[in-house]
Amino acid sequence: GACFSTPSIAPNIGGPVDIVTGSNGVLINPYEIKDIEEKIHLLLDNMNIYMEYSTQAFITIEKFIPDVLLKRIRMIIENKGR
């Protein structure tokens, strides 16, 4: 989702919990159909929320672009040597 500037709908377990913050998508209980339904309707029925989450999703994913990650890793390594 975030790669295409769309809000994420992700399970509230595992890795997505660290990335989907509530401002770039929604976390769902994957075992509760009603929760999934409500979160989908939240995004479909509220264009302002959808657009804000879309903008934030794009900003979030920028942190994970390989070139950006490589620069961050290099900075960490260079600072460790000092």
Side-chain angles (χ1 to χ4, degrees), residues 18-19 59-81:
D18 295 328
I19 299 170
I59 291 168
T60 299
I61 201 62
E62 285 182 315
K63 299 173 192 171
F64 299 96
I65 294 172
D67 290 343
V68 173
L69 283 174
L70 185 58
K71 286 178 187 175
R72 289 172 62 194
I73 291 169
R74 282 186 179 146
M75 285 176 39
I76 291 168
I77 292 170
E78 288 170 1
N79 288 333
K80 287 267 185 191

Side-chain angles (χ1 to χ4, degrees), residues 15-73:
V17 174
D18 295 328
I19 299 170
V20 179
T21 63
S23 65
N24 58 9
V26 292
L27 294 171
I28 52 122
N29 180 336
Y31 305 107
E32 294 291 332
I33 299 300
K34 188 70 174 163
D35 186 45
I36 298 168
E37 179 185 358
E38 287 172 1
K39 301 294 175 52
I40 290 171
H41 279 288
L42 171 73
L43 296 175
L44 288 176
D45 297 340
N46 298 284
M47 187 54 68
N48 290 338
I49 292 173
Y50 182 90
M51 295 305 294
E52 177 60 26
Y53 285 11
S54 294
T55 300
Q56 292 303 318
F58 185 75
I59 291 168
T60 299
I61 201 62
E62 285 182 315
K63 299 173 192 171
F64 299 96
I65 294 172
D67 290 343
V68 173
L69 283 174
L70 185 58
K71 286 178 187 175
R72 289 172 62 194
I73 291 169

